[in-house]
Amino acid sequence: MKKVLYFFGLLLLVPAFISCVEDLGNDTVAEINEIEISGIEESYSVIAKQETLVINPEVKGSLSASDESNLSYEWFLCDNGITDHNHYTIGTERNLSYFIESTPANYTLYFSVLDNSTGIKWEKEATLSVVSPMVRGFYLFGDKADGSVAMDFLSFIEGRDTSVVKDVFVNTKNLKGAKNAVFTGYYVNEEMVNMWVMSESGSYQVDKSASSTEVKELDVMSNPGSFIFPTVPVSQPQQVMDIHPYPYAKTNTNRARGARILFTKDNVFATGMMTLPEAYGNPINCYKAASADLFKPSKYILYKDNAASVSGVCMFDETNHCFVRVNSMSSYTAPTYCVKLSNTGTPFYFDQNQYSPVRSLVYGQNGYGNAGRSYALMNNENGEYFVYQIMVSSYSSITAQAAYTIDMSVAEEFAKADFYTFFSMQPIVLYSVGAKLYAYDYARNECKLVNTFDGNITYLSMDYESNNDPKHIWIATYNGSAGKVYGYSIADNQNAINVTPVEHEVFDTDIKVVKMEYRNHA
């Protein structure tokens, strides 16, 4: 604890243990009221814009005991700047209750007590770590009731309860109609980190810094023409729709360091970034390098989702109704294109023209369990649905593993589903119709209505990115004015469907969530 002596407006230097002051004019000695401050810890840690710093110190005087009528108090923060640091007063009462608005950083916290009669000031200091709530968790991306784009953040902080940071998106461009949000993870070069929001109004890169508690659009690099350099004609203007691979696992967030696949409105681009910055060349949705004969790609891309790097990619050609593989991805200057997959039809054909009617891809998903196999939901014009299981082992090794037919008489309202998601440990697909959540075992041909929520389901997805748990599910609902996010779990049981809510995983939000995007990077 520090003490500073002020006497008749002049600063007097006193020894550390001085207890009296000599009055030279009257040859008398004035005894000093020694102030003792206790109840302040050496360090504190609080979450910015989420928590209130509460400290109730004890102040005792050697002369006036606990009489505080002659004492003044001040709490202030020092931002520890080397050359031009600043002090911020955050309280003038003995007891501190301060909602943390400060920028995430490390501060020094000071509590000072001034004896008004003598001018002596006593100080106690502590370290204060203001932690960003947006280092690890899920962006909740969607729309407000008026249709404007908005974002909350579902914050995971070790040792704290999971909480929702509300309204973190600064919608300066008045974006409308939320579509997608992507955080790509990171690599050594920070410029390889991307975060994008996609809406009906356009797609923008946004501020990715977790040191801020706001997410803002960025003008720089929001035009895809600044990092896509095709030599063949492509449709303009280009608009970013998705970027793969997504961050992988609780502790591995840099999977996108070696290869990235970028979807625009009409095309697919790929690049490798081990030695070069993120840049894309010609579209890869073609069958010859640098070809202008481009097929229409499905918006889904298949790869092993239990691996720390992408070692093979499979897509669906909607123009020619067939599955294809990408030949390789090393850099934006390398000739990258697609190769049609062919097989004998066991257990299914990659070429969907082999079937009558021809089958189309409805939904595609990558899995964590069963060695990271991928899933394709197919249908035809007769209203029949099929599930394909595909293993993408490498760029040159992609195999058809299993095929199932959906029994539409058992899978209630399957064709009406708004969302699908596959459980990778068992042959079970979950799907939603309005407010209803179903689970269907397509091997045992059993369907179960899991729950009917108070509000339509707006988002449904398995979650293994954040917790390495292939059994976890996120569900978002919206009732027209307010939304909720639910955590559910599905049992790894080959004989029964058992989907249950996770205790304490119900979170309120003001937005209609259309995407939950995981991040784990400061």
Side-chain angles (χ1 to χ4, degrees), residues 81-135:
I82 297 175
T83 56
D84 55 350
H85 67 279
N86 297 297
H87 286 183
Y88 310 93
T89 298
I90 61 174
T92 55
E93 302 290 335
R94 177 172 63 85
N95 293 333
L96 177 67
S97 179
Y98 176 68
F99 182 74
I100 297 297
E101 296 279 2
S102 307
T103 301
N106 292 320
Y107 297 86
T108 302
L109 172 68
Y110 291 94
F111 174 56
S112 68
V113 180
L114 174 65
D115 188 324
N116 298 318
S117 61
T118 63
I120 301 176
K121 182 180 288 187
W122 308 77
E123 287 183 350
K124 183 83 172 178
E125 69 179 61
T127 60
L128 174 64
S129 175
V130 177
V131 180
S132 170
M134 298 171 63
V135 173

Side-chain angles (χ1 to χ4, degrees), residues 70-308:
N70 194 44
L71 303 178
S72 298
Y73 305 102
E74 183 181 20
W75 293 88
F76 60 92
L77 291 178
C78 174
D79 64 9
N80 299 327
I82 297 175
T83 56
D84 55 350
H85 67 279
N86 297 297
H87 286 183
Y88 310 93
T89 298
I90 61 174
T92 55
E93 302 290 335
R94 177 172 63 85
N95 293 333
L96 177 67
S97 179
Y98 176 68
F99 182 74
I100 297 297
E101 296 279 2
S102 307
T103 301
N106 292 320
Y107 297 86
T108 302
L109 172 68
Y110 291 94
F111 174 56
S112 68
V113 180
L114 174 65
D115 188 324
N116 298 318
S117 61
T118 63
I120 301 176
K121 182 180 288 187
W122 308 77
E123 287 183 350
K124 183 83 172 178
E125 69 179 61
T127 60
L128 174 64
S129 175
V130 177
V131 180
S132 170
M134 298 171 63
V135 173
R136 179 171 175 255
F138 279 90
Y139 294 102
L140 307 180
F141 183 65
D143 295 322
K144 295 182 179 179
D146 64 0
S148 61
V149 167
M151 185 184 289
D152 292 345
F153 191 78
L154 185 63
S155 178
F156 300 162
I157 303 246
E158 294 292 337
R160 287 313 216 267
D161 291 336
T162 302
S163 61
V164 177
V165 187
K166 296 289 189 70
D167 204 19
V168 300
F169 186 56
V170 183
N171 192 358
T172 58
K173 302 186 184 302
N174 195 29
L175 302 183
K176 299 278 189 178
K179 294 295 185 183
N180 193 17
V182 176
F183 178 79
T184 63
Y186 72 101
Y187 189 45
V188 176
N189 182 350
E190 283 296 313
E191 293 186 2
M192 293 184 183
V193 181
N194 277 342
M195 184 175 173
W196 284 81
V197 295
M198 297 82 171
S199 70
E200 293 176 356
S201 306
S203 300
Y204 287 89
Q205 274 196 6
V206 295
D207 181 6
K208 61 185 179 290
S209 173
S211 63
S212 172
T213 53
E214 294 180 335
V215 178
K216 301 177 182 179
E217 305 108 324
L218 302 176
D219 289 321
V220 179
M221 295 290 281
S222 289
N223 175 14
S226 62
F227 55 90
I228 300 177
F229 308 102
T231 61
V232 300
V234 296
S235 58
Q236 298 291 347
Q238 297 180 76
Q239 183 176 347
V240 173
M241 304 301 291
D242 208 346
I243 304 174
H244 287 267
Y246 295 154
Y248 161 70
K250 180 177 178 180
T251 56
N252 183 345
T253 61
N254 62 352
R255 178 164 61 172
R257 72 190 187 280
R260 281 189 186 170
I261 306 99
L262 183 146
F263 282 76
T264 62
K265 187 175 181 180
D266 300 303
N267 296 301
V268 185
F269 299 85
T271 191
M273 301 181 299
M274 294 299 290
T275 58
L276 295 172
E278 183 173 13
Y280 301 88
N282 286 315
I284 66 172
N285 48 305
C286 57
Y287 294 106
K288 183 179 178 181
S291 173
D293 185 11
L294 303 173
F295 63 78
K296 182 182 178 182
S298 169
K299 64 179 180 179
Y300 303 105
I301 189 161
L302 306 180
Y303 50 86
K304 284 171 69 79
D305 222 8
N306 68 343

Side-chain angles (χ1 to χ4, degrees), residues 320-341:
N320 300 291
H321 309 290
C322 60
F323 287 92
V324 302
R325 65 176 178 87
V326 177
N327 71 321
S328 69
M329 287 183 291
S330 57
S331 74
Y332 76 95
T333 59
T336 303
Y337 53 90
C338 289
V339 178
K340 289 184 179 180
L341 292 169

